[in-house]
Each structure stands twice: as structure tokens, then as C-alpha cells.
Amino acid sequence: MIRLAATLGFAFLYAPILSLVVYSFNESRLVTVWGGFSTRWYGALLADEQILDAALISLQVAVASATIATVIGTLASLALARHGRFRGRFLLGGMVTAPLVMPEVVVGLSLLLLFVAMEQAVGWPAGRGFVTIVIAHATFGAAFAAVVIQARIGALDRATEEAAADLGAGPVRVFLDVTLPGLAPALVSAWLLAFTLSLDDVVIASFVTGPGASTLPMVIFSKVRLGVSPEVNALATLVIAVVSLATGLAAWQTMRTRR
């Protein structure tokens, strides 16, 4: 009975995705009518400049925001895990975990209001575009990165760091030669997780973007509103492949950090 329920549950979740992948190889332009196997829509997809430009923007945003999120998450994790009680610890912990529980609509709207207020006050950022998307994605990506990295920091043996300090290594040398290599698997996992979240986001990006900076999920959403086309199926299949690969690598690295 349990296996049957699990099978039905997985079928309910993944059967639509599987059908989308299958129909991306459909010869017919009608997405619900099978006309034979073909890869013509992948060729048409590669000739679509709008999609290619959006994909390039999404990759650039994901790489930049994931890098920033990993750095911020590392610093926040070290402060929370290694420095005990300090003034502002409760506030820092709340700021790190808030994006995890807040709806994306709330996060996107609050960031939009922040950017508008900053532009009026100091003139930066001038409008919404690539920079504001990177900042927004790094903001919520840092929360997820901090969770992964903080768990790894708690599992590190501080005796090695103390031994290095006793042998004359300064704090920076101890961090670079001892702490950072121990955190490497968690840093990779955190980066891949933040990269995947950025590449997959459409809600927050729709609030903080502007003309000429549409990400790939936003382009997909706009095309679907006009009706599902075979090109969208092919594009969605490629996105599923990339996100699944990144998520799988992140999960693999996370499992390694727990050993």
C-alpha cells in the first residue's frame, strides 16, 4: 500500500514533466498531437535571439549572484558558528534566515521599494536591470548558502585550527590553509544551490528587472502566456536538464560534507 501511494505520488509530480520532455521531440507544431520524432524545435530554439540573449543574462546573473551569496553566507556562518554571543547576533541570525521563510513576492516587493528609495536618495542603482537582479538573487541565495556552510562549520574539528595557531600561523593563514579547505565541499554545494535558485527564479526577478534585462524564466513565462509552443517545450527541457544537473551536484556535495 505504501509503495502504491509512493508510486502514485511520484507519477502525479513527474508525469507532466516527462510528457513535456517527450513532446519537445514532437514533429508537429501542435503540442498535444504527436507527429513523430524530431529535433527540429531544438534547432529553432538555437536560432531564437531573444531566448539566447535571455539565457546569457540568466547565466551571468546566476554566476555573479551565486558567488556573492557564497561569500556572504560564509562570513555570516563563521560569525554565527565561531564567535559565540555578540551584539547583534540575534539580528544577524534573523536576517540570514528571513529569506528562507518569506514568500518570494514579499522579498521581491521589498527589494523593489529599497532600490527605488536608494535611487531617489543617492542616485544608485540607476534604474532596474542586471545589477539589481544580481543583488536580489544574492540576497536570498545567501540565506540558503549560510545554512549549508554553517552545518559544515559545526562539523569541523577546531583542534587542527588551534594546532596551526600554536605553531605560529596567524588568523588569516589558519583560515586559508586549514578552515577553507575543510569548508570546500560545503562551499561548492552552497554555490551550486545558489546558482540553481537564481537560474530558476522568476518572481523576484520580475520585480527588480527592467527593459533589456529579462532572464530566461521570465521569457518562458511570457511565451507560455501566449500559448505553449514546441520551442517552449524544448527550452523547458534544456532548463530541466541544467537545473537537475546542478541540483544533483549540490546534493552530492552535501552528502559528502555529512560523512
Side-chain angles (χ1 to χ4, degrees):
M1 187 64 182
I2 296 177
R3 291 183 179 180
L4 177 61
T7 302
L8 293 177
F10 281 113
F12 177 78
L13 291 174
Y14 294 105
I17 298 177
L18 180 60
S19 65
L20 182 147
V21 173
V22 171
Y23 276 97
S24 69
F25 297 97
N26 187 12
E27 173 70 23
S28 174
R29 178 171 289 274
L30 300 176
V31 295
T32 58
V33 178
W34 181 257
F37 181 86
S38 175
T39 58
R40 58 178 293 198
W41 304 117
Y42 288 89
L45 182 65
L46 295 177
D48 193 325
E49 294 185 1
Q50 181 188 17
I51 291 179
L52 294 179
D53 292 341
L56 179 60
I57 292 175
S58 290
L59 289 175
Q60 292 173 339
V61 168
V63 170
S65 63
T67 303
I68 296 172
T70 303
V71 173
I72 296 175
T74 302
L75 297 177
S77 299
L78 288 171
L80 293 172
R82 289 294 176 83
H83 293 284
R85 293 184 178 181
F86 57 88
R87 181 176 297 180
R89 177 184 175 86
F90 180 78
L91 177 61
L92 177 60
M95 292 174 63
V96 169
T97 58
L100 297 174
V101 296
M102 283 188 179
E104 290 187 348
V105 173
V106 176
V107 176
L109 180 59
S110 61
L111 288 171
L112 173 61
L113 296 177
L114 173 64
F115 293 144
V116 171
M118 290 178 58
E119 183 178 5
Q120 294 176 350
V122 299
W124 185 89
R128 264 66 65 195
F130 180 84
V131 174
T132 54
I133 300 176
V134 170
I135 295 174
H137 284 184
T139 299
F140 75 87
F144 291 89
V147 172
V148 177
I149 297 171
Q150 191 171 355
R152 178 58 178 173
I153 292 176
L156 291 179
D157 185 7
R158 298 199 64 177
T160 307
E161 299 177 3
E162 294 172 354
D166 291 339
L167 292 174
V172 176
R173 177 61 63 184
V174 171
F175 176 76
L176 294 178
D177 292 348
V178 180
T179 308
L180 195 60
L183 291 178
L187 295 177
V188 175
S189 299
W191 191 92
L192 289 173
L193 182 59
F195 177 86
T196 303
L197 292 170
S198 174
L199 195 65
D200 190 54
D201 174 70
V202 65
V203 177
I204 295 177
S206 63
F207 278 95
V208 299
T209 190
S214 297
T215 61
L216 188 59
M218 295 176 62
V219 172
I220 295 175
F221 182 73
S222 64
K223 287 181 175 294
V224 169
R225 292 179 63 184
L226 301 177
V228 180
S229 64
E231 292 93 339
V232 172
N233 285 343
L235 177 58
T237 301
L238 294 178
V239 171
I240 291 171
V242 172
V243 172
S244 299
L245 177 62
T247 305
L249 290 174
W252 177 66
Q253 286 292 340
T254 302
M255 292 177 61
R256 289 186 58 189
T257 60
R258 294 177 178 176
R259 294 179 181 176

